[in-house]
Amino acid sequence: MGSTPKTLERLKYLTTIGALTPGGSVCDIGATQLFGDESQYASRAFLSFYAERCSRATAPEDVAPATLQSITQNGFLGDLLILAGFEYKALDIFHATNTILFDLNVHEPGPGLVEKFDLVMNFGTTEHVFNQLRAFQTIHALTKINGICYHDLPMAGYLNHALYRYDPLFFSTLVPANRYEVILEQITLGSERSVAPELQANGYKKDSVTDVGIEVIYRRTTSDAFSIPMETSTSIAVDPNFNQVAQDEYVRTPAGSNVSYGANLTLDALSFGELTSHWLNRAKRGLERRIFRH
């Protein structure tokens, strides 16, 4: 999915509300490309915004035209963030700007990365990672206490794009299990795309599908290790002693696992259906435009 001018507006918004310090440390989960700013308007506004707030930032008029063009023509967001004064690293499986070779399926952050980042960005990367647990443990571990995690991911559509799409229920269980503080939740209605003939032949009867994105920004509030949420909406019950299951010849809990059993049972939260309807209605009302006027 990458980043767009909307992403740049979100980052400025986070700084405006005091959630993201200018010049802070940023970790990119996947070296993110920047799309949709061929006019350079959003990137120039972004650099101007941070040049007023960070001594390390470079004003747009001081950036070589070829450099700015290479960024805004589907270049790397990290290059723009560095010009804006941020300390930037990325984790990916190929070499790019300030990128550490890192497989989200199997690797975990070493001491030089644990709790080092003010902002961890996941702009359409984890949906391509088979090991979701390892990926979200990594995101948690990278984030400083009081640091921000920013996800912009596919919720629906995007057929043949990736391994996973993220239901709102995913985040409504992840957030309380780890005591994250939600800053922003947003549904984005995207492009209408034609359905591939092979999918229609396999039973998909519609001619087109709408891409739908989900944005969630939250703050890490505790020093606790990542807690695995157990989604219980379709369970008959959760035994109150489940977290005390004996380690015996039949059952083993892997070392380092921390599971939040029945977290949903203690929440005064919206049901899945209510939550989805609530978010879609917010998207249709144009919440995004109102946020940007702050």
Side-chain angles (χ1 to χ4, degrees):
M1 293 173 66
S3 62
T4 66
K6 177 196 72 174
T7 311
L8 304 183
E9 291 296 320
R10 291 286 196 235
L11 296 178
K12 288 158 58 179
Y13 169 70
L14 290 173
T15 294
T16 298
I17 66 172
L20 176 61
T21 302
S25 53
V26 177
C27 187
D28 201 358
I29 303 298
T32 300
Q33 288 180 273
L34 177 62
F35 300 105
D37 192 30
E38 291 79 5
S39 70
Q40 303 184 2
Y41 177 82
S43 295
R44 288 180 174 276
F46 186 79
L47 291 175
S48 294
F49 178 89
Y50 282 104
E52 296 174 357
R53 293 163 173 81
C54 177
S55 60
R56 292 201 306 270
T58 305
E61 57 269 21
D62 296 328
V63 179
T67 298
L68 195 55
Q69 183 177 22
S70 69
I71 294 171
T72 57
Q73 298 289 329
N74 302 344
F76 287 109
L77 176 62
D79 291 323
L80 186 67
L81 292 173
I82 291 169
L83 288 173
F86 289 97
E87 299 176 4
Y88 173 88
K89 290 189 183 300
L91 307 181
D92 215 320
I93 58 175
F94 65 90
H95 285 289
T97 301
N98 290 2
T99 297
I100 298 168
L101 294 179
F102 193 103
D103 184 350
L104 289 163
N105 284 295
V106 295
H107 292 149
E108 64 179 9
L113 294 178
V114 172
E115 296 184 5
K116 299 296 184 183
F117 296 98
D118 299 298
L119 172 66
V120 179
M121 309 184 304
N122 175 26
F123 297 152
T125 294
T126 57
E127 74 265 29
H128 301 282
V129 177
F130 192 86
N131 191 342
Q132 292 290 289
L133 173 56
R134 180 72 262 153
F136 279 86
Q137 284 174 324
T138 290
I139 290 169
H140 181 90
L142 293 166
T143 310
K144 288 181 179 179
I145 314 307
N146 294 318
I148 302 299
C149 298
Y150 179 3
H151 303 276
D152 195 350
L153 301 167
M155 180 181 123
Y158 292 100
L159 299 180
N160 285 331
H161 170 75
L163 301 178
Y164 300 99
R165 286 138 197 84
Y166 293 87
D167 196 279
L169 188 59
F170 178 91
F171 287 103
S172 69
T173 54
L174 177 73
V175 165
N178 288 281
R179 292 190 282 173
Y180 297 141
E181 175 192 346
V182 174
I183 295 174
L184 181 143
E185 302 165 332
Q186 180 72 49
I187 298 294
T188 302
L189 302 179
S191 302
E192 187 84 9
R193 300 179 185 272
S194 59
V195 175
E198 58 269 24
L199 293 180
Q200 291 183 314
N202 288 336
Y204 200 105
K205 300 303 183 185
K206 294 185 177 181
D207 294 327
S208 65
V209 62
T210 301
D211 292 338
V212 182
I214 183 169
E215 265 183 294
V216 180
I217 304 175
Y218 55 74
R219 188 193 316 272
R220 181 180 177 184
T221 63
T222 76
S223 60
D224 297 344
F226 181 79
S227 187
I228 305 166
M230 175 174 277
E231 200 284 294
T232 59
S233 64
T234 59
S235 299
I236 296 174
V238 177
D239 192 301
N241 297 313
F242 196 72
N243 60 352
Q244 299 173 15
V245 170
Q247 305 292 294
D248 55 29
E249 62 179 312
Y250 302 111
V251 179
R252 289 283 190 272
T253 300
S257 296
N258 182 22
V259 184
S260 179
Y261 290 115
N264 290 351
L265 304 181
T266 63
L267 292 176
D268 182 17
L270 294 172
S271 69
F272 161 58
E274 292 169 330
L275 183 65
T276 303
S277 175
H278 173 65
W279 281 17
L280 285 171
N281 286 337
R282 288 172 63 179
K284 292 174 183 176
R285 289 198 304 267
L287 175 65
E288 191 170 29
R289 291 191 294 273
R290 293 199 293 277
I291 286 173
F292 290 167
R293 287 203 291 267
H294 275 268

